[in-house]
Amino acid sequence: MKEKLQAIKEKALDRIANSENLDALNEIRVAYLGKKGELTEVLKGMKDVSAEERPKIGAMVNETRTIIENKLEEVKNRIASAARELKLKTEVIDVTLPAKRNLIGHSHPNTVALEEVERIFVGMGYEVVEGPEIEYDYYNFEALNIPANHPAKDEQDTFYINSDIVLRTQTSSTQVHEMEKGNIPIRMIAPGRVFRSDEVDATHSPSFHQVEGLVIDKNITFADLKGTLAVFAKELFGEQTKVKFRPHHFPFTEPSAEMDVSCFKCGGKGCRFCKDSGWIEILGCGMVHPHVLEMSKIDPEEYNGFAFGIGLERIALLKYEIDDMRLLYENDIRFLNQF
Ligand code: DAH
């Protein structure tokens, strides 16, 4: 028995010492210590050993088992650390390789233009607010003094959800929401998307953006309107920019005007950009109509104000010298990457 154990031990240790990988070690573990392993077989043979010999042999079997286990563990660690070392040696990181460039997006020209407009008005103490894109007829038309038979209410111009609810055709509806809140003075701009039943072409789209402006306070004059919008134009297009107001009609302002800026491309001499006129139209404006104030529960005897509406796409097209509005919506990366 003793000799047998001794032989098993030597054989096992020899095989372990010559193992080159963890799989081989595992095979050896099974072959000697497993359920049907050689050492286990020896234990099964214990019943044939005399009672006085049995504890001795038992102790020897255990000792052999421990020796084999320790050796297995030792070689296993050695193989593992050799493998780790090899990995460290061969897996080098070349820190001089050029990094993968992250593709970072950037703001859309419309967004850049809007941020610029917001920056200018916030700098003058205006608050930026928003109103709903789906709007009651009342806010989009009626409260803005646009009567039921007005051409803008024609189904050919307005998307109706039902007879009472529309997709707003102008951000002017936010004027009404702000006035109804009654927190006067008001100094706000309201950017947002508007909708009109227009065919798509180089200058039209069924969905585009406006920036509405509204000031309500005591003793506001047309001079305040002109001064504010002149400062805005200079900030946006450069210090040399001149402005010109042409009389116009909007139902919710009286008097009303359209504002032109001197062509920033030719300085007013006339070019392709300004269609040889030297001027470019950029917004509508006027003094808020007393009836509009009244409808929103503001006393026109005490308060008055001015309003303006800017076409955001127009600003973006002008600033970036883009000649087709459709480019702003197509999301062609080759176009957008230029900004
Ligand atoms: N809402 C007008 C439009 O869509 C633009 C406009 C003109 C807004 C004059 C105003 C304004 O606030 O005073 O054509």
Side-chain angles (χ1 to χ4, degrees):
M1 209 62 162
K2 258 190 202 164
E3 293 76 44
K4 196 171 177 198
L5 276 171
Q6 185 66 24
I8 289 174
K9 186 171 81 182
E10 272 166 23
K11 183 104 184 294
L13 292 181
D14 189 50
R15 279 184 65 184
I16 293 170
N18 288 317
S19 295
E20 273 165 11
N21 58 53
L22 298 176
D23 285 344
L25 282 181
N26 212 30
E27 261 170 45
I28 296 168
R29 176 187 299 280
V30 173
Y32 289 92
L33 311 177
K35 258 195 203 150
K36 288 180 184 156
E38 287 192 32
L39 210 57
T40 320
E41 292 300 319
V42 174
L43 275 175
K44 282 180 192 161
M46 289 280 275
K47 59 182 185 304
D48 305 326
V49 175
S50 66
E52 63 198 71
E53 281 285 291
R54 213 172 277 163
K56 266 207 208 148
I57 304 290
M60 276 181 73
V61 171
N62 283 341
E63 192 193 349
T64 308
R65 186 181 185 86
T66 311
I67 290 171
I68 294 176
E69 273 173 353
N70 288 347
K71 189 74 182 172
L72 277 169
E73 189 64 21
E74 180 197 317
V75 175
K76 186 177 123 190
N77 288 339
R78 198 167 68 214
I79 290 176
S81 74
R84 197 163 45 239
E85 210 131 290
L86 186 72
K87 209 170 166 192
L88 283 175
K89 258 191 217 144
T90 52
E91 270 186 12
V92 281
I93 298 172
D94 183 353
V95 291
T96 65
L97 274 178
K100 262 195 204 158
R101 258 184 66 195
N102 274 340
L103 280 179
I104 309 171
H106 60 83
S107 298
H108 187 277
N110 255 353
T111 309
V112 179
L114 174 59
E115 282 171 355
E116 180 71 2
V117 172
E118 286 181 347
R119 185 189 64 76
I120 296 168
F121 281 105
V122 167
M124 292 195 273
Y126 285 59
E127 187 187 355
V128 180
V129 303
E130 275 184 53
E133 292 175 0
I134 301 173
E135 190 58 280
Y136 285 109
D137 179 284
Y138 176 78
Y139 288 92
N140 196 78
F141 296 121
E142 213 178 308
L144 289 165
N145 223 11
I146 300 173
N149 61 356
H150 194 279
K153 296 193 70 172
D154 196 315
E155 274 185 45
Q156 283 174 348
D157 294 312
T158 305
F159 291 113
Y160 283 87
I161 291 191
N162 58 37
S163 60
D164 209 20
I165 300 176
V166 301
L167 297 186
R168 67 175 174 195
T169 61
Q170 49 185 357
T171 46
S172 302
S173 50
T174 53
Q175 289 189 29
V176 182
H177 288 290
E178 285 308 300
M179 287 190 292
E180 280 186 349
K181 286 183 195 160
N183 301 326
I184 299 169
I186 297 170
R187 248 177 219 84
M188 67 115 199
I189 55 167
R193 192 182 278 274
V194 299
F195 305 86
R196 286 185 201 173
S197 174
D198 278 332
E199 293 291 337
V200 174
D201 66 25
T203 54
H204 292 86
S205 160
S207 158
F208 56 101
H209 300 78
Q210 293 185 330
V211 184
E212 194 72 18
L214 177 69
V215 171
I216 304 282
D217 205 341
K218 290 180 173 162
N219 305 317
I220 300 289
T221 70
F222 202 86
D224 295 314
L225 178 157
K226 286 176 77 174
T228 303
L229 295 177
V231 167
F232 165 67
K234 284 180 197 295
E235 289 260 339
L236 194 62
F237 294 114
E239 192 51 40
Q240 71 296 339
T241 308
K242 295 200 213 50
V243 295
K244 168 171 99 170
F245 292 83
R246 282 179 291 102
H248 200 79
H249 170 75
F250 296 106
F252 38 90
T253 43
E254 181 58 36
S256 306
E258 279 186 331
M259 186 179 90
D260 296 346
V261 293
S262 54
C263 180
F264 52 88
K265 194 79 178 146
C266 64
K269 288 198 284 291
C271 69
R272 186 181 65 88
F273 227 70
C274 55
K275 300 197 186 90
D276 279 329
S277 71
W279 297 94
I280 297 172
E281 179 205 322
I282 64 159
L283 57 83
C285 58
M287 302 304 289
V288 180
H289 198 297
H291 189 221
V292 168
L293 293 172
E294 261 169 12
M295 280 187 281
S296 290
K297 311 270 183 301
I298 294 175
D299 181 1
E301 296 294 324
E302 194 179 357
Y303 296 106
N304 67 343
F306 64 83
F308 52 91
I310 305 164
L312 186 63
E313 277 77 0
R314 210 171 154 65
I315 303 287
L317 297 179
L318 288 171
K319 260 192 103 69
Y320 295 115
E321 303 184 18
I322 303 165
D323 56 11
D324 192 327
M325 185 165 161
R326 285 168 288 199
L327 290 166
L328 291 176
Y329 304 120
E330 282 167 353
N331 286 340
D332 186 330
I333 213 86
R334 291 167 302 179
F335 166 75
L336 292 173
N337 271 344
Q338 300 173 56
F339 303 96

